[in-house]
Amino acid sequence: MTLKTNRIENLDGSKGIATDYVIDGSAKAWANLNGKGAVALRDSMNISSAVDNGIGDFSFNVSNAMANTNYSFNQGVSLPSTAYHCFAFVLVDGVAPLMTGVLRGQVKAGNAAAPIDVTYVTVSINGDLA
Amino acid sequence: MSNLNVTNVNGSDAEAGKAKAWANLDGTGTIAMRGSFNVSSVVDNGVGDYTTNLTNNFIDANYGWLTGAGAVNATADVTYVHSTGSVVTASSIRLEGHVNNIQTDLTYANLNLLGDLA
């Protein structure tokens, strides 16, 4: 069932929002991955699978692809040990381009060249679906 | 139809992709929330160590959490991350701020949580 409206408000009308904000502002995919050992998705939305490409190198395959590669992605990670402080799931030039159906990146520290497996890798994607 | 007044929207992809909670925290000094949604409180556990408590819980601890971090006078890396002391539950999430390889209070400790509420 499709419901068409320009605006959604709560019952008393004290708060409301144009539906464009709901549509364009909602994440179109997200994932919470255990990136250590046998990698496994804890939970996800619009993600068909996660691929372990090597140490600290993961791909998230999107079930319903994005319209283009101009989408926004956000991330969260865990530190591998107390020896590290600054980690992030980042795109690495030369490893893989951003694709409409795949988000691939590596978990890296600011001061270490090699990627590292970590317990939590979380991502979200905002943009237009194809 | 121009306006639709409802209490809940269930079973749609838009619902699954909407942030169920978010927070913009000033984590320095006496910590203070700049803005938030579905967050009941944030506890300062020590330097660069914050627990965000939710008003309405998730169904489990497997939800997605995305972070943003900012710090004053940071000349190198700034992150808001899950670390050895961190705990993720359906009702709260404890994360740490790290700046220049030292656990540090963050000027901006931002969170965005995605998943299914209980």
Side-chain angles (χ1 to χ4, degrees):
Chain A
M1 178 182 175
T2 301
L3 181 62
K4 296 183 179 180
T5 183
N6 292 323
R7 186 173 171 81
I8 298 172
E9 295 183 357
N10 59 9
L11 281 178
D12 64 11
S14 61
K15 276 189 176 181
I17 189 170
T19 49
D20 282 354
Y21 286 98
V22 178
I23 295 167
D24 295 334
S26 296
K28 301 307 187 301
W30 65 266
N32 181 331
L33 177 77
N34 183 344
K36 228 170 181 180
V39 302
L41 286 166
R42 293 186 180 88
D43 200 356
S44 66
M45 191 272 287
N46 196 28
I47 298 290
S48 58
S49 62
V51 178
D52 185 353
N53 302 305
I55 297 173
D57 186 329
F58 306 105
S59 294
F60 295 90
N61 293 316
V62 181
S63 300
N64 296 299
M66 304 302 288
N68 53 51
T69 57
N70 299 329
Y71 56 85
S72 165
F73 65 91
N74 297 287
Q75 62 83 44
V77 296
S78 53
L79 300 179
S81 75
T82 54
Y84 297 91
H85 293 270
C86 296
F87 257 64
F89 180 73
V90 296
L91 299 185
V92 180
D93 285 348
V95 172
L98 207 56
M99 300 170 70
T100 58
V102 183
L103 170 61
R104 179 178 177 179
Q106 296 183 343
V107 179
K108 303 193 82 169
N111 55 352
I116 299 177
D117 283 345
V118 293
T119 307
Y120 282 95
V121 182
T122 66
V123 296
S124 73
I125 293 174
N126 283 76
D128 294 327
L129 291 171
Chain B
M1 180 188 295
S2 59
N3 286 14
L4 176 66
N5 293 65
V6 297
T7 301
N8 294 304
V9 179
N10 300 319
S12 69
D13 289 342
E15 178 63 19
K18 283 192 300 185
K20 300 306 189 305
W22 62 263
N24 178 337
L25 176 76
D26 181 347
T28 60
T30 301
I31 64 170
M33 198 73 80
R34 293 187 182 88
S36 68
F37 169 64
N38 194 27
V39 171
S40 59
S41 64
V42 177
V43 177
D44 186 349
N45 303 304
V47 176
D49 186 341
Y50 314 106
T51 298
T52 302
N53 295 307
L54 303 175
T55 304
N56 296 299
N57 299 347
F58 283 91
I59 57 170
D60 56 32
N62 298 327
Y63 51 90
W65 44 268
L66 302 313
T67 65
V72 173
N73 297 325
T75 56
D77 306 306
V78 181
T79 52
Y80 189 32
V81 295
H82 184 281
S83 189
T84 50
S86 296
V87 181
V88 181
T89 72
S91 60
S92 68
I93 180 167
R94 182 174 180 175
L95 299 175
E96 295 179 0
H98 291 251
V99 179
N100 298 343
N101 295 328
I102 299 171
Q103 191 167 339
T104 305
D105 283 346
L106 296 176
T107 308
Y108 286 90
N110 292 350
L111 261 182
N112 189 13
L113 306 183
L114 296 163
D116 295 325
L117 292 176

